[in-house]
Amino acid sequence: MRKREYDEDDVRVRPGKGSRPRTRIRPAHENAVQGFVVAVDRGRYTCLVESTGEKGRRRKKDQLEGATMSGRVVVAMKARELGRKGIVVGDRVALVGDVSGASDTLARVVRVEPRTSMLRRSADDTDNTDGIERPVVANADQLVIVTALADPPPRPRMIDRMLVAAFDADIEPVLCLTKSDLASPEELLSLYRPLGVPYVVLQKGGTLEEVRECLSGKISVLVGHSGVGKSTLVNALVPDANRAVSHVNAVTGRGRHTSTSAVALELPEGGWIIDTPGVRSFGLAHVSVETVLAGFPDLIEGTVGCPKGCSHLSEECALDAWVTAGHADPVRLVSLRRLLASRDGAPEDGRESASDG
């Protein structure tokens, strides 16, 4: 019997799981529907999907750019093709899959639309500062810094840090001063009038018309340290919000953190407010000196004579001579240096927070 000779045609190899050729071409998802991320929870994204017309056609993207949108709530997960790209509250996204919003259904986020703004902070509230940027909220129009005038007392250093974050994000900052029935706002406002920061003043039992007008038609992020009445304000502006509130500790002068995640809430008169969760600090390690300086156009020309890499906090800074010569208001230079110091320095008592109250 003749011995058989084998060749490669006789060898059968079972293909592995990764045998499919990889491609950089990704589906266009032309039929994806537009959504607005209103909450994020452990890899699940709650999105508000726009209503469709009689023929089921999607509204155009520019119709979603406004601050008001009605529709159905859809829960989605991130598509694998997005990789490690982060998605935050305020993002406008494209969704595919089951976008009916029915119970126990799950859609996929396949695209994050270009952002108009991004509020960020650095995770420098630990001993091992990594300086990595943490996205907080996308596409906001303004940052509303809520602070109490008393009980607890205002913390200018924390306010300064939030102002720097607003300059970095290129969004409009607004001061919202609560509990004016307990203390006058004049002392605090004297620090921020030179910066041209708009403000609203509230008191217990007072009208909310001024703050409603400020928020109407815009996407606003509310931040503030504990005990200032931020969640109480949110509940007053959005009656169905049901945000948990806390009381100020009589011993420490601090409130307990009550919000645990960022959530976008639609205002009855139009616009959105995004209530942010508590954080131990508002880190600014990612913000450059030049970014802060950009908020002071009247001082930029005076930095021409500064040494390379000038921090504008040292004696070698040329801004002192510039201001002394009458080219700018000395109060503006004081404000700039206060913000630069807050960017690099520790909070006033080492424990300042940016949570709700």
Side-chain angles (χ1 to χ4, degrees), residues 8-335:
E8 61 272 15
D9 294 331
D10 293 298
V11 180
R12 299 182 63 185
V13 178
R14 179 177 295 176
K17 294 182 179 180
S19 62
R20 179 192 294 182
R22 300 192 65 180
T23 175
R24 293 181 179 272
I25 300 175
R26 294 290 182 264
H29 298 297
E30 295 178 353
N31 294 323
V33 300
Q34 296 290 323
F36 178 71
V37 179
V38 297
V40 178
D41 182 23
R42 293 171 293 183
R44 294 293 184 267
Y45 305 94
T46 302
C47 306
L48 192 61
V49 174
E50 77 279 14
S51 299
T52 56
E54 295 180 357
K55 296 181 179 180
R57 294 180 298 178
R58 294 180 293 117
R59 289 190 292 179
K60 295 180 180 179
K61 180 178 179 295
D62 57 1
Q63 291 179 287
L64 296 178
E65 296 298 330
T68 305
M69 181 174 64
S70 60
R72 60 188 180 279
V73 175
V74 174
V75 178
M77 61 181 296
K78 184 170 63 174
R80 181 178 297 180
E81 62 200 68
L82 291 182
R84 303 184 65 174
K85 184 178 182 64
I87 302 173
V88 297
V89 171
D91 267 325
R92 296 182 179 91
V93 297
L95 302 166
V96 299
D98 193 334
V99 295
S100 65
S103 178
D104 298 325
T105 60
L106 199 62
R108 283 186 300 136
V109 178
V110 294
R111 185 171 62 250
V112 178
E113 304 297 348
R115 294 160 171 163
T116 58
S117 67
M118 172 58 74
L119 180 65
R120 301 168 295 170
R121 69 180 181 92
S122 299
D124 61 357
D125 51 1
T126 62
D127 294 334
N128 298 320
T129 300
D130 55 15
I132 297 176
E133 300 173 12
R134 285 350 187 220
V136 180
V137 170
N139 300 314
D141 299 311
Q142 58 186 6
L143 178 68
V144 181
I145 304 169
V146 184
T147 186
L149 293 166
D151 191 32
R155 301 174 188 172
R157 184 65 63 85
M158 178 59 75
I159 296 174
D160 291 347
R161 293 173 75 81
M162 294 176 183
L163 284 176
V164 172
F167 291 154
D168 175 63
D170 195 25
I171 60 179
E172 182 76 16
V174 177
L175 281 179
C176 181
L177 307 181
T178 64
K179 306 184 183 181
S180 63
D181 51 308
L182 302 179
S184 171
E186 288 307 312
E187 182 178 355
L188 186 63
L189 288 176
S190 65
L191 295 174
Y192 297 101
R193 282 198 180 100
L195 294 173
V197 179
Y199 62 88
V200 293
V201 180
L202 305 176
Q203 65 179 14
K204 186 176 181 180
T207 178
L208 296 176
E209 288 307 312
E210 188 177 6
V211 70
R212 289 185 190 277
E213 183 179 350
C214 174
L215 302 175
S216 179
K218 299 178 181 178
I219 299 178
S220 306
V221 185
L222 270 62
V223 294
H225 57 76
S226 55
V228 300
K230 182 163 63 70
S231 292
T232 300
L233 176 61
V234 170
N235 289 335
L237 294 170
V238 187
D240 297 331
N242 297 320
R243 300 297 276 174
V245 298
S246 67
H247 300 284
V248 177
N249 187 295
V251 176
T252 64
R254 298 175 181 277
R256 180 172 55 87
H257 299 174
T258 50
S259 295
T260 57
S261 60
V263 61
L265 303 165
E266 191 167 11
L267 293 166
E269 59 275 9
W272 292 83
I273 53 173
I274 300 178
D275 191 14
T276 56
V279 293
R280 289 182 56 194
S281 71
F282 212 96
L284 301 173
H286 64 282
V287 181
S288 67
V289 173
E290 290 73 20
T291 297
V292 181
L293 186 60
F296 296 80
D298 51 328
L299 298 177
I300 292 178
E301 188 177 349
T303 63
V304 174
C306 290
K308 185 177 181 180
C310 182
S311 66
H312 307 301
L313 297 172
S314 63
E315 296 180 357
E316 293 79 14
C317 180
L319 284 173
D320 292 286
W322 172 265
V323 170
T324 301
H327 297 296
D329 189 337
V331 178
R332 292 280 289 170
L333 179 57
V334 172
S335 298

